Structures are given as structure tokens and as C-alpha cells.
Amino acid sequence: MGEKQRKGQKEAVENLLTGKVKLVNFSDLLREVWRGEEPLAVRLNVQLTEYEGGKNREKTARKVRNWMHDRNLPQNREEVFKICFALNLDEERAERILGMTAESGIHYRNPGEMIYAFCLRRGYGYVQALRIREQLRGEIFPNGFPVEETAGADRQPLNLTGYVRQRFQRVMTEDELKRFLESSRERFGLYHNTAYRKFRRMLDCLIRPEISESGLPEDQIYSIRKAVEQYAYVF
């Protein structure tokens, strides 16, 4: 890689971190992924109200208006998944929505989200996805879906996320989904992380060492530019 290209990539990272890059608005992304003929706002209102059993119509309408005018984003990942089902998205388009609004795409080490991903892949509706999710949770994870945890130093990664995802892509039936979850039951939740979140945490330690546990000396305070130049190498 040439020096000019490397410099350009460093500048791109710096511009992203400092907010100089204009990102796509949530409403624009919704319009891009929606492929139906029905008006987008109408579709969201109808489907999300249906998911609520016909309740909270005004609250739902207000949320949709806020999303369409980019006043705020969905409050949590479950709400984002509801939007994905409401718009009949596939896994790829759902990944884009989740990546923009909920910090990362589908968590392929989280069995609950993998069940949703399977249902999106198969074109199932949200209500059916909930039924399958609750059924499999009761049968395979009676104590609840595993949460993120940090493995001890003596434990080796049993499955990398990429490998899990590759295997999961071959799952096409509910029986295959159940067998896959059963065979991977002990591995879910381990070593799950969000790269961007951890990168920002480390960047904060470089820029503001006084907030880090390591207590870096004052003369090691980094600007965003210096941190990018020192550590954002492209391999």
C-alpha cells in the first residue's frame, strides 16, 4: 500500500471519529431497504401496531414520525428487529439497519438473535419468530439465553464468530435450527464483543488516560490524529 493511500485512510478514520463525515440518515436507510409499494410510514405504523395487539396506536405513530424525521432512533435491539420484520427484510438488509441503530449487526453468538436471523432468512413474520424463539428457549435454554461473558485465561475459544456464522448460513429448516442450537449450546455467549465499542474504549484511554485504569502518564495523552497515526495501521 502506498503512502498516499495510507494517509488517505488515516484521514478517513479521523474524519469519522471527529464527526466530519456525513453519515446516512436513519430515514434514508429505511427508504433504501424498503422494497414494497405501500408508503413506508404507513407500513411501519400498521405492522408495529399489529405487533402491539392494536394498542398504543398514537405512541407507535409518534415513534414512526420521529424516525422518519430523524429526531431519534429506535430505543433497543428488539425494536430494531420489529422494524426489520415489519419491512420484510432479509438478513443482509437487517444487518445494515442493526449496524446503524444498535451498535452492531446481528450477534451471531446470541441464540435469540440467531433465531430472529433464521426467521428473517425464511421470510417468517415477527409473531411467528416470537413463537419459535420462545419454544426453542424453553427446550434448549431453560435458564434463559446466555449473556455476554468473559472467559477465563485457561479457556480457549471454542468457536469464532465467523465460523459460527458460516455454519449457521446452511441452516434452512426449523429442525436444522434446533439441532444447530443444541450442538452449540455451550459455546454461545463466550467471547462475544463489539469491536467498535472496544476500539472507542481504547481510544478514550489514549486520549484521556486519567479515566483509564492503567493510569498512563500525562505525557502520553494522545490527540485523535496522533492516536490514528500511531495505531490505526492497515494490514
Side-chain angles (χ1 to χ4, degrees), residues 5-235:
Q5 185 178 2
R6 186 183 298 276
K7 182 178 179 181
Q9 290 191 342
K10 288 180 179 179
E11 289 178 352
V13 172
E14 181 183 348
N15 288 338
L16 177 62
L17 293 173
T18 56
K20 294 179 181 178
V21 176
K22 183 179 180 347
L23 300 177
V24 176
N25 290 330
F26 181 52
S27 62
D28 293 333
L29 183 56
L30 287 178
R31 293 185 182 94
E32 184 178 337
V33 299
W34 171 232
R35 297 177 181 175
E37 297 181 359
E38 191 176 8
L40 175 59
V42 172
R43 174 71 179 191
L44 288 172
N45 269 308
V46 170
Q47 291 298 118
L48 296 179
T49 299
E50 181 179 312
Y51 299 159
E52 295 290 333
K55 303 175 182 178
N56 303 317
R57 292 178 181 273
E58 181 51 39
K59 181 180 179 181
T60 298
R62 183 168 59 253
K63 285 196 295 188
V64 172
R65 286 196 300 270
N66 287 336
W67 296 337
M68 298 307 298
H69 289 88
D70 297 303
R71 298 188 185 109
N72 54 41
L73 295 173
Q75 295 181 351
N76 51 58
R77 296 181 70 84
E78 186 67 23
E79 194 163 63
V80 179
F81 272 110
K82 287 181 180 180
I83 292 173
C84 294
F85 281 105
L87 299 183
N88 291 332
L89 303 188
D90 54 21
E91 278 179 90
E92 181 180 354
R93 287 179 289 160
E95 283 258 69
R96 294 180 61 192
I97 297 292
L98 282 157
M100 178 177 183
T101 61
E103 194 179 67
S104 69
I106 296 168
H107 289 166
Y108 285 95
R109 302 299 298 279
N110 179 317
E113 294 202 4
M114 294 182 79
I115 293 170
Y116 279 159
F118 167 80
C119 291
L120 289 167
R121 178 188 306 169
R122 300 297 297 162
Y124 295 168
Y126 179 67
V127 175
Q128 186 176 6
L130 279 180
R131 177 187 60 77
I132 295 173
R133 191 172 186 265
E134 287 307 301
Q135 176 185 337
L136 293 178
R137 184 187 65 79
E139 294 178 1
I140 305 174
F141 306 96
N143 295 322
F145 292 125
V147 296
E148 179 178 344
E149 61 183 57
T150 301
D154 60 331
R155 300 181 68 176
Q156 297 297 318
L158 298 173
N159 233 338
L160 297 176
T161 299
Y163 177 62
V164 172
R165 181 172 182 172
Q166 184 179 26
R167 290 177 54 219
F168 178 66
Q169 293 300 325
R170 299 194 291 267
V171 173
M172 297 304 295
T173 70
E174 291 183 36
D175 285 340
E176 289 174 348
L177 174 64
K178 181 177 180 179
R179 289 196 298 271
F180 177 84
L181 293 176
E182 287 175 333
S183 66
S184 304
R185 177 170 46 197
E186 301 303 323
R187 303 175 179 182
F188 289 121
L190 293 178
Y191 300 92
H192 170 71
N193 66 79
T194 301
Y196 180 73
R197 182 179 67 232
K198 295 200 172 187
F199 171 69
R200 287 308 302 256
R201 185 182 304 162
M202 294 304 296
L203 185 64
D204 284 341
C205 288
L206 290 172
I207 298 171
R208 297 184 294 161
E210 70 276 7
I211 69 171
S212 72
E213 295 180 359
S214 59
L216 297 176
E218 286 295 320
D219 60 0
Q220 289 298 307
I221 295 177
Y222 287 74
S223 66
I224 287 179
R225 177 181 292 277
K226 185 176 179 181
V228 170
E229 288 176 350
Q230 290 287 337
Y231 296 102
Y233 294 107
V234 180
F235 296 96

